[in-house]
Amino acid sequence: MNLAVIQQWLDKLAPRERWMVMGGALFALVALAYALGIRPVYKARAEAAERVAEQRQLLTDIEQVARRFGPQSATAAMPTSSESVLVLIDRSTRERGLSSYLKRNQPEGADGVRLRMENAPFDELLLWLSDVQSGQGLGAVSASFDPAGEPGRVNVNLVLSPAGR
């Protein structure tokens, strides 16, 4: 429609009718702005607030579980003896029967050790790693495993150091 046609139509109306048409148009404009602009924003805000409340509840639940089970870090099991890391590794591999697979055992940095094991049984190796982490407080800084040819056997390069350092 042309604006001139609308203007002519409004001019033909009585002043009272003109005010009613303009009021209706203003009401329609406000309702349209609310329906298309404001209401979706409020709806999205309410949904976001609900998601935040759910996430806060989840965080509270996780914190309660964490308090119940206590710290689970490897730093809780630091070695109590005054043995060096090399001596700890040597002793623990002998206890687990892995000393024959240990081909290289050399210091790495200030308090770490670099190990090379060849054709080691993978399951025993993982049990040993678990033992040195929980019992000796050592953690793997880096590790690389390669198949050794036989099923269940691996060649491994490890760098271990006291956890938390």
Side-chain angles (χ1 to χ4, degrees):
M1 269 195 177
N2 192 349
L3 231 87
V5 173
I6 295 174
Q7 185 64 41
Q8 287 175 357
W9 178 74
L10 280 175
D11 287 340
K12 289 181 186 176
L13 296 176
R16 187 175 190 187
E17 293 172 337
R18 213 175 298 149
W19 280 107
M20 287 179 60
V21 168
M22 287 185 186
L26 182 62
F27 177 77
L29 185 64
V30 169
L32 187 64
Y34 176 77
L36 296 179
I38 297 172
R39 193 175 89 203
V41 169
Y42 279 115
K43 185 177 178 183
R45 182 180 174 271
E47 290 171 354
E50 185 177 319
R51 284 192 308 269
V52 166
E54 290 171 359
Q55 294 296 321
R56 283 187 177 148
Q57 182 60 43
L58 180 62
L59 178 62
T60 302
D61 293 345
I62 290 171
E63 287 173 341
Q64 288 175 352
V65 169
R67 278 193 300 274
R68 180 177 176 195
F69 290 105
Q72 298 293 315
S73 68
T75 58
M78 291 299 288
T80 56
S81 68
S82 61
E83 294 178 309
S84 74
V85 175
L86 290 170
V87 173
L88 287 172
I89 297 296
D90 186 56
R91 184 176 42 79
S92 64
T93 55
R94 287 175 200 249
E95 290 171 358
R96 270 283 175 197
L98 293 171
S99 61
S100 63
Y101 306 107
L102 185 61
K103 301 301 178 193
R104 188 172 62 222
N105 181 352
Q106 66 187 49
E108 175 76 17
D111 53 3
V113 63
R114 179 177 297 276
L115 305 173
R116 169 73 179 169
M117 290 187 182
E118 294 179 358
N119 202 28
F122 183 73
D123 294 339
E124 282 299 313
L125 182 63
L126 289 184
L127 291 172
W128 172 75
L129 278 172
S130 175
D131 287 349
V132 296
Q133 180 180 5
S134 62
Q136 315 298 335
L138 298 175
V141 176
S142 69
S144 67
F145 295 86
D146 298 312
E150 292 180 49
R153 300 283 181 155
V154 293
N155 297 326
V156 62
N157 290 308
L158 286 170
V159 176
L160 301 175
S161 70
R165 294 187 196 173

